[in-house]
PDB file of all heavy atoms in Angstrom:
ATOM      1  N   GLY A 437     -14.158 -19.783  21.220  1.00 98.00           N
ATOM      2  CA  GLY A 437     -13.884 -20.463  22.499  1.00 98.00           C
ATOM      3  C   GLY A 437     -15.072 -20.617  23.434  1.00 98.00           C
ATOM      4  O   GLY A 437     -16.215 -20.742  22.985  1.00 98.00           O
ATOM      5  N   TYR A 438     -14.736 -20.552  24.706  1.00 98.00           N
ATOM      6  CA  TYR A 438     -15.644 -20.874  25.765  1.00 98.00           C
ATOM      7  C   TYR A 438     -16.118 -19.588  26.519  1.00 98.00           C
ATOM      8  O   TYR A 438     -15.486 -18.559  26.353  1.00 98.00           O
ATOM      9  CB  TYR A 438     -15.028 -21.798  26.821  1.00 98.00           C
ATOM     10  CG  TYR A 438     -14.624 -23.128  26.226  1.00 98.00           C
ATOM     11  CD1 TYR A 438     -13.380 -23.304  25.554  1.00 98.00           C
ATOM     12  CD2 TYR A 438     -15.455 -24.223  26.326  1.00 98.00           C
ATOM     13  CE1 TYR A 438     -13.045 -24.516  25.007  1.00 98.00           C
ATOM     14  CE2 TYR A 438     -15.075 -25.454  25.767  1.00 98.00           C
ATOM     15  CZ  TYR A 438     -13.896 -25.566  25.122  1.00 98.00           C
ATOM     16  OH  TYR A 438     -13.525 -26.756  24.576  1.00 98.00           O
ATOM     17  N   CYS A 439     -17.169 -19.723  27.319  1.00 98.00           N
ATOM     18  CA  CYS A 439     -17.579 -18.634  28.199  1.00 98.00           C
ATOM     19  C   CYS A 439     -16.855 -18.788  29.542  1.00 98.00           C
ATOM     20  O   CYS A 439     -16.351 -19.831  29.875  1.00 98.00           O
ATOM     21  CB  CYS A 439     -19.088 -18.634  28.409  1.00 98.00           C
ATOM     22  SG  CYS A 439     -19.996 -18.152  26.926  1.00 98.00           S
ATOM     23  N   ARG A 440     -16.878 -17.703  30.295  1.00 97.00           N
ATOM     24  CA  ARG A 440     -16.215 -17.677  31.584  1.00 97.00           C
ATOM     25  C   ARG A 440     -17.199 -18.127  32.668  1.00 97.00           C
ATOM     26  O   ARG A 440     -18.355 -17.735  32.677  1.00 97.00           O
ATOM     27  CB  ARG A 440     -15.837 -16.214  31.823  1.00 97.00           C
ATOM     28  CG  ARG A 440     -15.310 -15.894  33.185  1.00 97.00           C
ATOM     29  CD  ARG A 440     -13.838 -16.180  33.208  1.00 97.00           C
ATOM     30  NE  ARG A 440     -13.290 -15.396  34.300  1.00 97.00           N
ATOM     31  CZ  ARG A 440     -12.055 -14.884  34.324  1.00 97.00           C
ATOM     32  NH1 ARG A 440     -11.280 -15.060  33.290  1.00 97.00           N
ATOM     33  NH2 ARG A 440     -11.651 -14.191  35.339  1.00 97.00           N
ATOM     34  N   LYS A 441     -16.717 -18.982  33.577  1.00 97.00           N
ATOM     35  CA  LYS A 441     -17.547 -19.381  34.716  1.00 97.00           C
ATOM     36  C   LYS A 441     -17.966 -18.159  35.519  1.00 97.00           C
ATOM     37  O   LYS A 441     -17.149 -17.243  35.596  1.00 97.00           O
ATOM     38  CB  LYS A 441     -16.787 -20.318  35.623  1.00 97.00           C
ATOM     39  CG  LYS A 441     -16.877 -21.787  35.228  1.00 97.00           C
ATOM     40  CD  LYS A 441     -16.122 -22.620  36.304  1.00 97.00           C
ATOM     41  CE  LYS A 441     -15.688 -23.983  35.854  1.00 97.00           C
ATOM     42  NZ  LYS A 441     -16.590 -25.075  35.892  1.00 97.00           N
ATOM     43  N   PRO A 442     -19.096 -18.124  36.142  1.00 97.00           N
ATOM     44  CA  PRO A 442     -20.101 -19.194  36.280  1.00 97.00           C
ATOM     45  C   PRO A 442     -20.969 -19.486  35.095  1.00 97.00           C
ATOM     46  O   PRO A 442     -21.862 -20.299  35.202  1.00 97.00           O
ATOM     47  CB  PRO A 442     -20.928 -18.739  37.504  1.00 97.00           C
ATOM     48  CG  PRO A 442     -20.710 -17.313  37.617  1.00 97.00           C
ATOM     49  CD  PRO A 442     -19.410 -16.930  37.023  1.00 97.00           C
ATOM     50  N   MET A 443     -20.689 -18.870  33.920  1.00 97.00           N
ATOM     51  CA  MET A 443     -21.491 -19.294  32.757  1.00 97.00           C
ATOM     52  C   MET A 443     -21.065 -20.690  32.385  1.00 97.00           C
ATOM     53  O   MET A 443     -19.898 -21.058  32.488  1.00 97.00           O
ATOM     54  CB  MET A 443     -21.232 -18.336  31.609  1.00 97.00           C
ATOM     55  CG  MET A 443     -21.933 -16.987  31.839  1.00 97.00           C
ATOM     56  SD  MET A 443     -21.886 -15.939  30.446  1.00 97.00           S
ATOM     57  CE  MET A 443     -22.747 -14.504  31.085  1.00 97.00           C
ATOM     58  N   LYS A 444     -22.057 -21.474  31.940  1.00 95.00           N
ATOM     59  CA  LYS A 444     -21.761 -22.900  31.776  1.00 95.00           C
ATOM     60  C   LYS A 444     -21.133 -23.200  30.377  1.00 95.00           C
ATOM     61  O   LYS A 444     -21.290 -22.440  29.422  1.00 95.00           O
ATOM     62  CB  LYS A 444     -22.992 -23.753  31.981  1.00 95.00           C
ATOM     63  CG  LYS A 444     -24.190 -23.468  31.012  1.00 95.00           C
ATOM     64  CD  LYS A 444     -25.260 -24.514  31.286  1.00 95.00           C
ATOM     65  CE  LYS A 444     -26.562 -24.110  30.634  1.00 95.00           C
ATOM     66  NZ  LYS A 444     -27.269 -22.963  31.253  1.00 95.00           N
ATOM     67  N   GLU A 445     -20.475 -24.357  30.373  1.00 96.00           N
ATOM     68  CA  GLU A 445     -19.861 -24.851  29.110  1.00 96.00           C
ATOM     69  C   GLU A 445     -21.020 -25.423  28.272  1.00 96.00           C
ATOM     70  O   GLU A 445     -21.944 -26.026  28.801  1.00 96.00           O
ATOM     71  CB  GLU A 445     -18.844 -25.927  29.488  1.00 96.00           C
ATOM     72  CG  GLU A 445     -17.920 -26.235  28.348  1.00 96.00           C
ATOM     73  CD  GLU A 445     -16.887 -27.318  28.787  1.00 96.00           C
ATOM     74  OE1 GLU A 445     -16.346 -27.254  29.906  1.00 96.00           O
ATOM     75  OE2 GLU A 445     -16.644 -28.195  27.952  1.00 96.00           O
ATOM     76  N   ALA A 446     -20.900 -25.266  26.952  1.00 96.00           N
ATOM     77  CA  ALA A 446     -21.924 -25.783  26.062  1.00 96.00           C
ATOM     78  C   ALA A 446     -21.972 -27.288  26.150  1.00 96.00           C
ATOM     79  O   ALA A 446     -20.970 -27.985  26.151  1.00 96.00           O
ATOM     80  CB  ALA A 446     -21.581 -25.343  24.615  1.00 96.00           C
ATOM     81  N   THR A 447     -23.185 -27.841  26.261  1.00 97.00           N
ATOM     82  CA  THR A 447     -23.413 -29.273  26.250  1.00 97.00           C
ATOM     83  C   THR A 447     -23.397 -29.745  24.790  1.00 97.00           C
ATOM     84  O   THR A 447     -23.539 -28.951  23.870  1.00 97.00           O
ATOM     85  CB  THR A 447     -24.789 -29.610  26.845  1.00 97.00           C
ATOM     86  OG1 THR A 447     -25.767 -28.982  26.008  1.00 97.00           O
ATOM     87  CG2 THR A 447     -24.942 -29.080  28.272  1.00 97.00           C
ATOM     88  N   PRO A 448     -23.255 -31.066  24.572  1.00 98.00           N
ATOM     89  CA  PRO A 448     -23.261 -31.593  23.196  1.00 98.00           C
ATOM     90  C   PRO A 448     -24.590 -31.215  22.480  1.00 98.00           C
ATOM     91  O   PRO A 448     -24.554 -30.935  21.262  1.00 98.00           O
ATOM     92  CB  PRO A 448     -23.182 -33.103  23.408  1.00 98.00           C
ATOM     93  CG  PRO A 448     -22.513 -33.274  24.719  1.00 98.00           C
ATOM     94  CD  PRO A 448     -22.912 -32.100  25.581  1.00 98.00           C
TER      95      PRO A 448
END
Side-chain angles (χ1 to χ4, degrees):
Y438 298 84
C439 289
R440 172 86 157 212
K441 273 185 202 276
M443 287 189 182
K444 62 173 166 291
E445 196 180 317
T447 61

